[in-house]
Amino acid sequence: MTTEVWIPMEEIQDQEPIWAGTKIRIYQEPPLEYLLSYIYGNSNELQLTCLTQGEAGNIGGVIAKDLPNHYALAQTLKTFLSGVYSEIRFE
């Protein structure tokens, strides 16, 4: 799935694969944008790396991959972000 549109996280199917390179926008104060990326030397998890100016490079969290696959499931990301309105953009 490739789109340039931000999609509310709750509209994504739980079994949707979420690959490294996907952007996530978290609406808190202030709103932050993250890139899901690989972790050097860690083949079990992916990290949320902040892209927002002033916070860029900070790690927002780590989520488990759907092993043996190289992606996480939307369900895992939704659980991590529970209680916070967020949007996702597949690239």
Side-chain angles (χ1 to χ4, degrees), residues 2-78:
T2 302
T3 182
E4 294 183 15
V5 176
W6 289 96
I7 303 167
M9 201 60 195
E10 67 265 7
E11 292 182 17
I12 304 299
Q13 297 292 320
D14 286 348
Q15 297 304 307
E16 179 80 32
I18 309 295
W19 294 91
T22 299
K23 290 186 179 176
I24 295 101
R25 195 178 277 168
I26 299 174
Y27 290 92
Q28 57 183 29
E29 193 53 47
L32 299 171
E33 190 170 303
Y34 291 88
L35 178 70
L36 193 64
S37 57
Y38 293 110
I39 303 170
Y40 179 76
N42 182 338
S43 59
N44 297 324
E45 299 166 311
L46 298 168
Q47 69 186 16
L48 290 156
T49 305
C50 192
L51 300 174
T52 305
Q53 186 174 354
E55 299 290 329
N58 289 341
I59 305 304
V62 174
I63 62 171
K65 287 182 186 175
D66 182 46
L67 296 175
N69 302 306
H70 293 287
Y71 55 76
L73 292 176
Q75 178 180 2
T76 304
L77 186 56
K78 287 177 179 181

